[in-house]
Structures are given as C-alpha cells and as structure tokens.
Amino acid sequence: MVGRGYTIFDTAIGRCGIIWSDTGVVAVQLPEAREIDTRRRIFAIHPEAREQRPSNNAELAIEGIVSLLQGNDPDFSEVGLDAGGVPGFNRRVYEFACSIPRGETRTYHEVAKALGASGAAHSVAQAIAKNPYMLIVPCHRMLEAGNYTDRLSPYGGVISKRRLLALEGAHPVASKTLFEVLLPVAPPRPS
C-alpha cells in the first residue's frame, strides 16, 4: 500500500472509520449522526486517504474497537500506531492514557503531575483534544477538574466521554451546572 487507506465499519454505536498507513493506525473516527458525515470528517482531516480493504493491523484495531463498544475489554497492545506527526509530549500523554485501568479516570492535573510536568494540565487537555487514536488510546478516561465529561477529540463524532465511560462502568459528572459556569464570572455583590 502506498499512502493512507481508510475504511468504514459497523459498531454498536454506529459506523466508525479508521485511517491507516504502512506504519500503523493514523486515526479512528467515531460515528457522526450519518455515515456521510463520518466520511466528510475523514476527508476533511485526511484528504489523501483512499477507501481500501483494511490492513492486518487496521483489522486488529477494528476488532478491538467493535469489542470495546460492545462493553468488552479488548487489548490494543498489538495495534501499531503511526505517530509520525504526533508531538513528543502528546505521545507521553497517550502512553499514560493507555495505563489508566478500564472504568477509572484521571484529571488533566493528575496526568500532568504523573508526567513530571505539574503545571501542564492545559497542555494535557490540548493533547487529549488532538488525540487521533480514539478508543485505542482511551483519552475519554482523562477529565478536566471536577470530573466533567463535556469535551472530546475532533475525531469523537457524536458520542460523548460520558457514554464511553458508562460502557466501562465509570460514572463521572455529566457537565457543569449553570451555577458553576456563572459563579466564576459573576461580579461581587456590594456589602
């Protein structure tokens, strides 16, 4: 194979996509509301990819993703990833994500501290937001302070971290309340 290939495949949550190269999996695209939207997202991010039969490595990843979305606990350790364009810090974050046990979560601050960069919680959040290896690298197990599950990678499609964590048996806080959003910006009351 020359260049990048992709395929669309069925899962319990809809039709996902996977992009790969000769080196390994380049990205996983979770389903959008419609398959055409999933394809559009793939083309927007990887216009050079051509639809093909999955490589053996991509097929191994697909089997694991399908299993995970059925509520099982697959092992992705044999799936090769193409990390050619991934910055070093992000790679460290993704390696850490893979070490978080199923059904458990860590905050961005906890991850930064574990990586020896305690002031880099924002950098961890940015790395997670750019995670191209959805589900293979379980970034949904990393949450902002307060264990809120609002954000997901651009490859996330319409599924939320909350739904992915629920499949694993974890129950973090769904989202911030209006009170929590407005309190930090509310002007102080006069005495």
Side-chain angles (χ1 to χ4, degrees):
M1 180 186 87
V2 177
R4 293 182 175 176
Y6 83 91
T7 194
I8 303 292
F9 59 97
D10 290 315
T11 72
I13 63 166
R15 296 193 39 88
C16 293
I18 189 166
I19 302 94
W20 69 89
S21 70
D22 291 333
T23 309
V25 172
V26 173
V28 174
Q29 175 63 55
L30 294 181
E32 295 290 340
R34 301 175 309 162
E35 180 182 334
I36 190 70
D37 296 326
T38 303
R39 289 177 182 276
R40 283 185 183 133
R41 178 79 63 109
I42 290 171
F43 292 137
I45 300 172
H46 302 282
E48 74 289 354
R50 298 294 172 250
E51 191 163 15
Q52 308 180 23
R53 183 182 179 131
S55 66
N56 289 338
N57 184 61
E59 191 63 48
L60 185 63
I62 290 169
E63 289 170 10
I65 291 166
V66 168
S67 177
L68 180 104
L69 294 174
Q70 290 173 336
N72 300 314
D73 187 15
D75 178 11
F76 289 108
S77 63
E78 298 297 316
V79 175
L81 302 176
D82 181 342
V86 178
F89 181 79
N90 292 21
R91 288 182 197 183
R92 290 178 53 213
V93 170
Y94 302 157
E95 287 170 9
F96 187 88
C98 292
S99 74
I100 300 171
R102 176 182 168 84
E104 293 184 22
T105 61
R106 303 290 184 274
T107 64
Y108 299 149
H109 176 74
E110 290 171 329
V111 174
K113 190 174 179 180
L115 294 176
S118 59
H122 182 71
S123 297
V124 170
Q126 288 181 324
I128 291 307
K130 295 175 182 171
N131 175 20
Y133 315 112
M134 296 296 300
L135 303 176
I136 297 171
V137 172
C139 66
H140 58 279
R141 296 177 186 161
M142 293 189 205
L143 308 173
E144 65 180 273
N147 289 332
Y148 297 114
T149 57
D150 296 332
R151 297 188 182 138
L152 198 57
S153 156
Y155 294 94
V158 296
I159 191 169
S160 68
K161 281 188 178 191
R162 181 179 27 174
R163 186 166 176 199
L164 292 172
L165 289 169
L167 282 170
E168 296 184 355
H171 301 288
V173 178
S175 63
K176 293 180 183 178
T177 66
L178 183 60
F179 181 74
E180 292 167 314
V181 171
L182 295 178
L183 185 61
V185 296
R189 290 187 155 185
S191 320

